[in-house]
Amino acid sequence: MFHFDDDYTYRMPAHFGGVKGGDLHDLQYDDVTSIAISYLTDEEQLAQYVPDAFEIVEPSLNIEYQKCCGIHWMGGGEYTLLALMTPVRHLSSGTVGAYALVVWENKTAPILGGREETGIPKIFADIPDYHLLDGHASAHASHEGRAFLELDLQLDHELSAEDVAARNSAPRINQMGWRHIPNIGRPGAAVSHATLYPVDVTYLSGGTGTATATWTPMDSLQNPMQYHIIAALAGLPVVEYRPGVLAKMVTHLRGDLARELV
Amino acid sequence: MFHFDDDYTYRMPAHFGGVKGGDLHDLQYDDVTSIAISYLTDEEQLAQYVPDAFEIVEPSLNIEYQKCCGIHWMGGGEYTLLALMTPVRHLSSGTVGAYALVVWENKTAPILGGREETGIPKIFADIPDYHLLDGHASAHASHEGRAFLELDLQLDHELSAEDVAARNSAPRINQMGWRHIPNIGRPGAAVSHATLYPVDVTYLSGGTGTATATWTPMDSLQNPMQYHIIAALAGLPVVEYRPGVLAKMVTHLRGDLARELV
Amino acid sequence: MFHFDDDYTYRMPAHFGGVKGGDLHDLQYDDVTSIAISYLTDEEQLAQYVPDAFEIVEPSLNIEYQKCCGIHWMGGGEYTLLALMTPVRHLSSGTVGAYALVVWENKTAPILGGREETGIPKIFADIPDYHLLDGHASAHASHEGRAFLELDLQLDHELSAEDVAARNSAPRINQMGWRHIPNIGRPGAAVSHATLYPVDVTYLSGGTGTATATWTPMDSLQNPMQYHIIAALAGLPVVEYRPGVLAKMVTHLRGDLARELV
Amino acid sequence: MFHFDDDYTYRMPAHFGGVKGGDLHDLQYDDVTSIAISYLTDEEQLAQYVPDAFEIVEPSLNIEYQKCCGIHWMGGGEYTLLALMTPVRHLSSGTVGAYALVVWENKTAPILGGREETGIPKIFADIPDYHLLDGHASAHASHEGRAFLELDLQLDHELSAEDVAARNSAPRINQMGWRHIPNIGRPGAAVSHATLYPVDVTYLSGGTGTATATWTPMDSLQNPMQYHIIAALAGLPVVEYRPGVLAKMVTHLRGDLARELV
């Protein structure tokens, strides 16, 4: 019969075998196209969605679309994500970074690992490839044929070599999440704690411009597991847009540095 | 700031709110088409993949395709699954039922709940609608355009009203799994225990016939997260096929009865 | 070298071979679920979209969603369509039937045959499976994640055996289209004529209720080949809804009776 | 009522309006990634699939995967194609170029235009994004979850600026096809003629290496409309592989130069 070994790390289904030691590595993504859109919002409303183990560093909603290609752990394959982050400080550890409010992804495999192994709250959406024409970039996410978030970026400035170098001088993003696994059949949690999952980003080229994000709420019959998330984010007012960024980059998901935050 | 309430049940992302009390209910699926194929295999080989908290009741591999429609929690929507089960007894509790070796599903939302909330080892596959022509039913599962399991069933006998009634006299299937959530950055588990997730099945109509299941192994570049699972299952010898079944049914996933097995 | 034979019928790519004689047959679809919604509209507006070889018999827009399964020519497989028809009479032949304004389908193979071989103006859309819960049926069509047509039907009456028999007393629908193949590099047509493609429908069961259809126009960047079609149909006013119908049926596409209308 | 205008060009559904003059333009694709694999084959076998209006210039099968992005007519969107060409001379016009045996594409809109307006024999396949890892590029095409063609390219040489310039010195490819629209209800053709549809290619960068193409035939139940095409191409022997090419390029589909070949 199958026997669990305490020196191994397993994923469900665990009984087909695990690996000795830890199983989180530096995951390189060779070819990433990013569309980043950010706006200031109302801090009080935003605070409803950030656990009280954190404090908000700046009340902004940072939306980043990434078409990720050349993914080493996928045999050079690809998936696309849409991450919604806000800048925070983890109080007890003092870690400053980006708290993941939600991350939509269009493949299941990275969703499972992200949730169960690092507490990043990934859920599924259809996210077609971005469009790019005459300096206008757009992307959107949908659930079963109904778009709930549209991103638009009109480029007006190309990043210089100096701009790129400046962005690469501080490549580390301290991505943080909250891993929560419920009890079965009764309230409360089997696991519930803050997590750290750093990402290193190397910009290759890019441009900036005027950006907008447009939310379309869904109802509970259309998107039963996500409509409350979309409603919450759609309800955050846009106080002021920042310049949007379109960039080509290489990313390293530093699974080797992931840990619980206590 | 968001504060976790011990009387609530949450799913990731948890900070958008949970529900008071437990969150697992009787989930009704109104309109399910099932193709069930079963074969005896080698007990020693099979035992490698069943945790030693169980004993094998019969060394058979039970493969069930289900196109599930009229799903209440999805607003009447649908998904398709391919479950691989084997009959077991949980030693300490004495529970007899079907151990879930792996369940492929073609939507992410039920995969997340199944894994995190009830320990059913669900993973993603593309599973097109079954074909049915002149009494020949077929279905298959694939990963990014490469089929790894093909099911074929040639019907030769229609279930009589008595056959249907006989099947409905014992509608409960004690589906069991193993919920395993790893530690972050070191081996071992944050959560690791057997689970029970009963399902009640009401047959409406159906037929039986001659069935086959054909596996095509994949390599680690083609399906990095699943190739070892497919290889393990493909390696189990077919000792003897049982009659296959095509059936229309109503199912109730008894989340209200789900619990840890100790 | 490949040589065309005048006694054969070919499809592109033709050089892999054709079939002797004609190639249009009675195509049986064993298991069709239909949601039919109809409304009276403005005759003058509607007339803009019906060629002057026809006259309008009734200014109604008939929208029919069909999930078609057990399709013989697809080896028992399936596709889904959304047909928009209006009742007409072909003037020169006197044929009375349903003129196909547009038919969206979610697979390419039936689109190609429908267009090139019978002049039915099929184009692509994503059309997920219908939802059905507590007597409420819904369906929709989308292009790259943006829905442009939503159908809703609240059932309040089940078809009796007499209702079903009455519907089956006149099973033939004279579906008509217009086959148009342009010249290359200059205006005008290589082929342009009205077509007849009858369908025989056998109702098995069903119900009726209150129905609505909701259009969401798209812009030319979102749906460059179809936005003008959606805008035209969305612009037709709803004068009065008829009862909607949900039905199970068997259909026969009478390719064997298809012909040019002169 | 709708009236056709001889000075206009229409696509089905034609009754929603056409455009004055011709409707074929220079279509720019800004960002194309190409994997090109070629092998010599048996001339006699190949000749079965080339109409006798042509002669074969070289008995080679040229397979080209293209992930096409930044497509102007799609609002900056994308699709992916897999073209199978062979070098020919059109006898009566003397045009030398590449005869399109078949082109698989993963979106319907370009398939319709390609077939009806220029005679390129496009049909549908699922074609996921290519994988690229450590100089190994791969791509494949599948029909409903079953792959029928796999391409692999191991790069060993980067194209120099001189190589790129040399390739760009003759950017025009005279793509040729055969437009064939059958009669309805009787054998023979309503339209049947050779076509010319030039493409201009500008290489940006790339590399060469060792390439293979692997066919997996399908049966008539699995792929009823295409199995004979796949069988024909899979049956062409590989006499000798040429070096494969991975390249980034800009393409111009010269619809403005498309015409019938007489």
Side-chain angles (χ1 to χ4, degrees):
Chain A
M1 308 296 286
F2 175 78
H3 184 75
F4 283 95
D5 185 327
D6 289 346
D7 293 334
Y8 276 59
T9 299
Y10 302 92
R11 293 188 177 91
M12 288 183 272
H15 44 254
F16 291 106
V19 294
K20 198 171 167 68
D23 195 24
L24 294 170
H25 307 285
D26 176 346
L27 302 173
Q28 183 169 337
Y29 290 22
D30 286 345
D31 176 14
V32 175
T33 303
S34 161
I35 300 172
I37 294 179
S38 174
Y39 50 90
L40 286 177
T41 187
D42 179 80
E43 180 158 357
E44 201 172 334
Q45 275 187 253
L46 176 62
Q48 299 173 82
Y49 311 124
V50 179
D52 54 11
F54 300 91
E55 65 181 8
I56 293 173
V57 167
E58 184 196 61
S60 66
L61 193 63
N62 299 327
I63 304 174
E64 185 164 359
Y65 163 99
Q66 288 188 344
K67 163 93 180 186
C68 302
C69 299
I71 298 175
H72 286 225
W73 70 269
M74 282 184 157
E78 50 78 42
Y79 68 90
T80 301
L81 64 83
L82 195 55
L84 282 92
M85 304 274 185
T86 196
V88 298
R89 193 173 73 91
H90 182 248
L91 295 174
S92 61
S93 70
T95 312
V96 173
Y99 183 70
L101 294 162
V102 66
V103 180
W104 278 282
E105 298 189 342
N106 71 348
K107 288 197 181 165
T108 307
I111 290 175
L112 301 186
R115 293 171 68 91
E116 297 173 18
E117 293 159 37
T118 56
I120 304 300
K122 299 178 172 190
I123 55 179
F124 183 83
D126 289 305
I127 313 175
D129 283 5
Y130 65 98
H131 285 211
L132 180 60
L133 184 65
D134 296 335
H136 176 247
S138 61
H140 67 283
S142 62
H143 176 78
E144 299 189 357
R146 296 177 180 104
F148 58 84
L149 177 57
E150 302 260 0
L151 306 180
D152 284 278
L153 170 58
Q154 184 61 51
L155 293 168
D156 54 29
H157 175 75
E158 196 178 340
L159 292 183
S160 67
E162 290 72 30
D163 293 334
V164 169
R167 286 175 177 268
N168 288 337
S169 65
R172 172 76 42 91
I173 296 164
N174 278 325
Q175 190 175 247
M176 287 179 274
W178 195 282
R179 188 163 76 149
H180 186 94
I181 302 291
N183 288 323
I184 303 181
R186 63 186 191 283
V191 175
S192 190
H193 59 76
T195 60
L196 172 67
Y197 188 9
V199 184
D200 292 344
V201 175
T202 304
Y203 283 79
L204 302 177
S205 64
T208 60
T210 305
T212 57
T214 308
W215 294 91
T216 302
M218 304 184 75
D219 69 34
S220 66
L221 288 179
Q222 292 171 336
N223 195 347
M225 303 304 281
Q226 303 183 357
Y227 75 100
H228 67 296
I229 299 169
I230 296 166
L233 294 168
L236 293 174
V238 176
V239 172
E240 185 191 336
Y241 276 108
R242 268 72 178 277
V245 181
L246 174 72
K248 297 283 185 183
M249 52 178 60
V250 177
T251 59
H252 286 263
L253 281 61
R254 301 300 303 269
D256 54 323
L257 303 180
R259 58 182 173 85
E260 299 179 27
L261 282 178
V262 289
Chain B
M1 307 296 286
F2 175 77
H3 183 75
F4 283 95
D5 185 326
D6 288 346
D7 294 334
Y8 275 61
T9 300
Y10 301 92
R11 291 189 179 91
M12 289 182 270
H15 44 253
F16 291 106
V19 296
K20 199 172 167 66
D23 195 24
L24 293 171
H25 308 286
D26 178 345
L27 302 173
Q28 183 169 338
Y29 291 23
D30 287 345
D31 175 13
V32 175
T33 303
S34 162
I35 300 172
I37 294 179
S38 175
Y39 50 90
L40 287 177
T41 188
D42 180 80
E43 181 156 355
E44 202 172 331
Q45 274 188 254
L46 177 62
Q48 300 172 82
Y49 311 123
V50 179
D52 53 12
F54 300 92
E55 64 180 9
I56 292 173
V57 169
E58 183 195 63
S60 65
L61 194 63
N62 298 326
I63 305 175
E64 185 164 359
Y65 164 99
Q66 287 189 345
K67 164 91 181 189
C68 303
C69 299
I71 298 175
H72 287 224
W73 71 268
M74 281 184 159
E78 49 78 42
Y79 69 90
T80 302
L81 65 83
L82 194 56
L84 282 93
M85 304 275 185
T86 197
V88 298
R89 193 173 73 91
H90 182 247
L91 295 174
S92 60
S93 70
T95 312
V96 172
Y99 183 70
L101 294 163
V102 66
V103 180
W104 278 282
E105 299 190 340
N106 71 349
K107 286 196 181 165
T108 307
I111 290 175
L112 301 185
R115 293 172 66 92
E116 297 172 17
E117 294 160 36
T118 56
I120 305 300
K122 300 178 172 188
I123 54 179
F124 183 84
D126 289 306
I127 313 176
D129 283 7
Y130 65 98
H131 284 213
L132 181 60
L133 184 66
D134 296 335
H136 177 247
S138 62
H140 66 282
S142 62
H143 176 79
E144 300 190 357
R146 296 179 181 103
F148 58 83
L149 178 57
E150 302 260 359
L151 306 181
D152 283 279
L153 170 57
Q154 184 60 50
L155 294 168
D156 53 31
H157 174 74
E158 197 178 339
L159 292 184
S160 67
E162 290 72 30
D163 294 334
V164 169
R167 286 175 177 271
N168 289 336
S169 65
R172 173 77 40 92
I173 296 164
N174 278 326
Q175 187 174 250
M176 288 179 272
W178 196 282
R179 188 163 74 149
H180 186 93
I181 302 291
N183 288 323
I184 304 181
R186 63 184 190 286
V191 175
S192 190
H193 59 76
T195 60
L196 172 66
Y197 188 11
V199 183
D200 292 345
V201 174
T202 304
Y203 282 77
L204 303 176
S205 65
T208 59
T210 305
T212 56
T214 308
W215 294 92
T216 303
M218 303 184 75
D219 69 32
S220 67
L221 289 179
Q222 291 172 336
N223 195 347
M225 303 304 281
Q226 304 183 356
Y227 75 100
H228 66 296
I229 300 170
I230 296 166
L233 294 167
L236 293 174
V238 177
V239 172
E240 184 191 337
Y241 277 108
R242 268 75 178 277
V245 182
L246 175 72
K248 297 283 184 183
M249 51 179 59
V250 177
T251 60
H252 286 262
L253 280 61
R254 299 301 302 269
D256 55 324
L257 303 179
R259 58 181 171 86
E260 298 179 26
L261 282 179
V262 289
Chain C
M1 307 298 286
F2 174 78
H3 183 75
F4 283 95
D5 184 328
D6 288 347
D7 293 334
Y8 276 59
T9 300
Y10 301 92
R11 293 189 176 91
M12 288 183 271
H15 44 254
F16 292 105
V19 294
K20 197 170 166 71
D23 194 25
L24 293 170
H25 308 285
D26 177 346
L27 301 174
Q28 184 168 338
Y29 291 22
D30 287 343
D31 175 14
V32 175
T33 303
S34 160
I35 300 172
I37 294 179
S38 174
Y39 49 88
L40 286 177
T41 187
D42 180 80
E43 181 158 356
E44 200 171 334
Q45 276 188 251
L46 177 62
Q48 298 173 82
Y49 311 123
V50 179
D52 54 11
F54 300 92
E55 68 182 4
I56 292 174
V57 169
E58 182 195 64
S60 66
L61 193 63
N62 299 328
I63 305 174
E64 184 165 1
Y65 163 99
Q66 287 188 344
K67 164 93 180 186
C68 303
C69 300
I71 299 174
H72 286 223
W73 70 270
M74 283 185 158
E78 48 79 43
Y79 69 90
T80 302
L81 64 83
L82 195 55
L84 282 93
M85 304 273 185
T86 196
V88 298
R89 194 173 73 92
H90 182 248
L91 295 174
S92 60
S93 69
T95 312
V96 173
Y99 183 70
L101 294 162
V102 67
V103 180
W104 279 282
E105 298 190 342
N106 71 348
K107 288 197 181 165
T108 308
I111 291 175
L112 302 186
R115 293 172 67 92
E116 296 172 18
E117 293 159 37
T118 55
I120 305 299
K122 300 178 173 190
I123 54 179
F124 184 84
D126 289 305
I127 313 175
D129 282 6
Y130 65 98
H131 285 213
L132 180 60
L133 184 67
D134 296 334
H136 177 247
S138 62
H140 67 281
S142 61
H143 177 79
E144 301 192 355
R146 297 178 179 102
F148 58 84
L149 177 57
E150 302 259 1
L151 306 180
D152 284 278
L153 170 58
Q154 185 61 50
L155 294 169
D156 54 30
H157 174 74
E158 197 178 338
L159 292 184
S160 68
E162 291 71 30
D163 293 335
V164 170
R167 286 176 178 269
N168 289 337
S169 65
R172 172 77 40 94
I173 297 163
N174 278 326
Q175 189 175 249
M176 288 179 273
W178 196 282
R179 187 163 75 150
H180 186 94
I181 302 291
N183 288 323
I184 303 181
R186 63 186 191 282
V191 175
S192 190
H193 58 77
T195 60
L196 172 66
Y197 188 10
V199 183
D200 292 345
V201 175
T202 304
Y203 282 78
L204 303 177
S205 65
T208 59
T210 305
T212 57
T214 308
W215 294 92
T216 302
M218 302 184 77
D219 69 33
S220 66
L221 289 179
Q222 292 172 334
N223 195 348
M225 303 303 282
Q226 304 183 355
Y227 76 100
H228 67 295
I229 300 169
I230 296 166
L233 294 168
L236 292 174
V238 176
V239 172
E240 185 191 336
Y241 277 109
R242 269 73 179 276
V245 181
L246 175 71
K248 296 282 184 184
M249 52 179 57
V250 177
T251 59
H252 286 261
L253 280 63
R254 301 299 303 269
D256 55 324
L257 304 179
R259 59 182 173 85
E260 298 180 26
L261 282 178
V262 286
Chain D
M1 307 299 286
F2 174 78
H3 184 75
F4 283 94
D5 185 327
D6 289 346
D7 294 334
Y8 277 59
T9 300
Y10 303 92
R11 293 189 177 91
M12 288 183 270
H15 45 252
F16 291 106
V19 296
K20 197 171 167 68
D23 195 24
L24 293 170
H25 307 286
D26 177 345
L27 302 173
Q28 183 168 339
Y29 291 24
D30 287 343
D31 175 14
V32 175
T33 303
S34 161
I35 300 173
I37 294 179
S38 174
Y39 50 90
L40 287 178
T41 187
D42 179 81
E43 180 155 356
E44 201 172 333
Q45 276 188 253
L46 177 62
Q48 298 173 83
Y49 312 123
V50 178
D52 54 10
F54 300 92
E55 64 181 7
I56 293 174
V57 168
E58 183 196 61
S60 66
L61 193 63
N62 299 327
I63 305 174
E64 184 165 359
Y65 163 100
Q66 288 188 344
K67 163 91 180 189
C68 302
C69 299
I71 298 175
H72 287 224
W73 71 268
M74 283 184 156
E78 49 80 42
Y79 70 89
T80 301
L81 65 83
L82 194 55
L84 281 91
M85 304 274 185
T86 197
V88 299
R89 194 173 72 94
H90 182 248
L91 295 174
S92 61
S93 70
T95 312
V96 172
Y99 183 69
L101 294 163
V102 65
V103 180
W104 279 282
E105 298 190 341
N106 70 349
K107 288 197 179 164
T108 307
I111 290 175
L112 301 185
R115 292 172 68 91
E116 297 172 18
E117 294 159 38
T118 56
I120 305 299
K122 299 179 174 190
I123 55 179
F124 183 83
D126 290 305
I127 312 175
D129 283 7
Y130 65 97
H131 284 213
L132 181 59
L133 184 66
D134 296 335
H136 176 247
S138 62
H140 67 281
S142 61
H143 176 78
E144 301 191 356
R146 296 179 181 102
F148 58 83
L149 178 58
E150 303 259 1
L151 306 180
D152 284 278
L153 170 58
Q154 184 61 50
L155 294 169
D156 54 30
H157 174 75
E158 197 177 338
L159 292 183
S160 67
E162 291 71 31
D163 293 334
V164 169
R167 285 174 178 269
N168 289 336
S169 64
R172 173 77 40 94
I173 296 164
N174 277 327
Q175 188 175 249
M176 287 179 274
W178 196 281
R179 189 163 76 149
H180 186 93
I181 302 291
N183 288 324
I184 304 181
R186 64 185 191 284
V191 174
S192 190
H193 58 77
T195 59
L196 171 68
Y197 189 9
V199 183
D200 292 345
V201 175
T202 304
Y203 282 79
L204 303 177
S205 64
T208 59
T210 305
T212 58
T214 308
W215 293 92
T216 302
M218 304 184 74
D219 68 33
S220 67
L221 289 178
Q222 291 172 336
N223 195 347
M225 304 304 280
Q226 304 182 358
Y227 75 100
H228 66 297
I229 300 169
I230 295 166
L233 294 168
L236 293 174
V238 177
V239 172
E240 183 191 338
Y241 277 108
R242 267 73 180 276
V245 181
L246 174 72
K248 297 284 183 181
M249 50 179 58
V250 177
T251 61
H252 286 261
L253 280 60
R254 300 300 302 269
D256 55 323
L257 303 180
R259 57 182 174 85
E260 297 178 28
L261 282 179
V262 288

